[in-house]
Amino acid sequence: MPGFHAPAFWGRRTRGLLVLVPLLLACVIASLGTGAVSISPTQVISILFEQVGLPRLTDFTPQQAAVLQAIRLPRVCMGVLVGAALAVAGAALQGLLRNPLADPGLLGVSGGASVAVAAVTVFNLRVLGTFTVPVAAFLGSLMAILVVSSLAHENGRTNVAMMLLCGIAINALCVSCTGLFTYLSTDDQLRILAFWQLGSLAGATWTSVSALAPLVLVCVVGMTWLANPLNALLLGESNARHLGIPVERLKWTIISLVALGVGAAVAVSGMIGFIGLMVPHLVRLSLGSNHRALLPLSTLLGASLLVLSDLVARTVVIPSELPIGIVTSLAGAPFFLYLLLRQRRLHTP
């Protein structure tokens, strides 16, 4: 692609992998070892080694092994999956819309899921048992993104600027509908909705992790597969078409993958904001905008940040636990303001 020099690209991607892979491993080990039952890093590694038949590095107690395997490991796995899905979806949307402020929440994806979950909770629907809420969240996010895309579709093409404006409007409508359902809820339902909207990984189980993993895998692999078409789209839609890129099909594919990944993540973790906004920017500022590096490295950094945020959320106010959405918002809101001020400086003559 014009502007992308192969040696420099491979150098940046290698440097990124050398930093982000150890960072993710460090966050995972720290999160697995920290809590009411303290487990040292070597004990964490020994417990994991024993699970795969490798010799242990040091001794550990049965209680430490039980806590790690039954409580902390599924929670950390869910944090990795949710962070990866939100970050890669944000990176792909920013490339598709060519707007650095785009994230899944801006297009109403998270808002649609929120309305669906609020409706299921208030009307006490349990059609699919424990899978009712996740399926409803996914369908809500998919419905919201389809409405936004349909409204922005004109003359056989999707108007990107119109899509952003429609997304803002649909998101505002979703917030209002969620507020209405919250108003109609009982005390118990209100408590469920409030905690869900603030986000949490406390409900992680191996069942929810196994249900989430294939959906996130499809989202991440699919997005990474589309890196070269997204690079072509950076040149503008007309130039991308001249290069043979099926732009409309690319848009719908990315939108579907975003709905799949974000809907699944929101379904199991609730509303967790700013990961999809912050992470792609941090990677882009350090390593450039080539999506062949941006998408996989955003996946790693998003997973690391969410695991780290969850560690902060469950340890900063012991014995209580902060909703993880509060932690990400406290970090993300100042970062969003920084982006706005930076954009203004860049466009000021």
Side-chain angles (χ1 to χ4, degrees):
M1 292 301 300
F4 298 135
H5 303 287
F9 161 71
W10 286 109
R12 286 195 297 268
R13 189 161 80 167
T14 302
R15 287 198 303 274
L17 290 172
L18 289 176
V19 172
L20 294 179
V21 170
L23 175 65
L24 177 58
L25 292 175
C27 291
V28 167
I29 291 175
S31 187
L32 288 174
T34 306
V37 176
S38 181
I39 309 174
S40 70
T42 52
Q43 288 175 321
V44 168
I45 295 171
S46 296
I47 296 170
L48 296 178
F49 274 13
E50 190 174 65
Q51 293 299 305
V52 295
L54 295 174
R56 60 173 66 177
L57 302 178
T58 187
D59 291 332
F60 51 85
T61 66
Q63 183 195 22
Q64 289 174 319
V67 168
L68 188 146
Q69 293 166 9
I71 300 174
R72 293 184 192 167
L73 193 54
R75 181 166 182 152
V76 169
C77 289
M78 181 175 285
V80 168
L81 293 170
V82 171
L86 296 178
V88 78
L93 275 181
Q94 288 172 13
L96 174 67
L97 302 177
R98 297 187 296 285
N99 188 313
L101 302 181
D103 83 334
L106 190 65
L107 293 183
V109 180
S110 303
S114 179
V115 172
V117 171
V120 165
T121 303
V122 170
F123 293 122
N124 200 26
L125 300 177
R126 291 292 181 269
V127 179
L128 300 176
T130 56
F131 291 98
T132 301
V133 170
V135 171
F138 169 67
L139 293 178
S141 62
L142 184 62
M143 186 66 69
I145 197 72
L146 287 177
V147 170
V148 170
S149 301
S150 300
L151 291 175
H153 199 71
E154 55 183 14
N155 300 324
R157 296 183 177 182
T158 302
N159 186 321
V160 172
M162 181 64 76
M163 180 181 281
L164 277 173
L165 294 174
C166 292
I168 293 170
I170 293 298
N171 195 46
L173 181 63
C174 290
V175 170
S176 299
C177 291
T178 303
L180 177 62
F181 283 122
T182 304
Y183 177 77
L184 296 174
S185 63
T186 64
D187 289 345
D188 290 340
Q189 292 169 343
L190 178 62
R191 190 175 298 106
I192 294 171
L193 288 176
F195 278 102
W196 187 85
Q197 289 171 5
L198 291 173
S200 175
L201 301 180
T205 63
W206 285 118
T207 302
S208 56
V209 170
S210 59
L212 176 64
L215 302 179
V216 172
L217 188 64
V218 169
C219 175
V220 171
V221 173
M223 294 292 192
T224 306
W225 184 263
L226 297 173
N228 284 332
L230 277 170
N231 281 339
L233 207 56
L234 292 177
L235 303 173
E237 291 189 20
S238 298
N239 290 327
R241 287 192 179 91
H242 287 308
L243 291 172
I245 303 298
V247 174
E248 290 305 309
R249 192 169 68 191
L250 174 65
K251 290 177 182 175
W252 282 100
T253 304
I254 292 176
I255 286 169
S256 301
L257 290 173
V258 167
L260 180 68
V262 175
V266 171
V268 297
S269 65
M271 305 285 281
I272 299 176
F274 291 105
I275 293 292
L277 177 68
M278 282 193 301
V279 170
H281 274 285
L282 291 172
V283 177
R284 194 180 292 112
L285 288 173
S286 305
L287 302 166
S289 56
N290 189 338
H291 286 87
R292 292 169 60 193
L294 178 64
L295 292 168
L297 296 180
S298 293
T299 303
L300 290 172
L301 184 58
S304 304
L305 282 184
L306 198 60
V307 171
L308 190 61
S309 298
D310 183 55
L311 175 61
V312 173
R314 63 185 175 82
T315 57
V316 73
V317 291
I318 288 177
S320 299
E321 179 177 320
L322 275 179
I324 193 172
I326 293 178
V327 178
T328 58
S329 296
L330 284 174
F335 188 77
F336 185 74
L337 291 175
Y338 158 74
L339 288 179
L340 290 177
L341 294 175
R342 185 171 179 270
Q343 287 289 106
R344 190 175 67 178
R345 282 200 301 271
L346 289 175
H347 292 88
T348 300

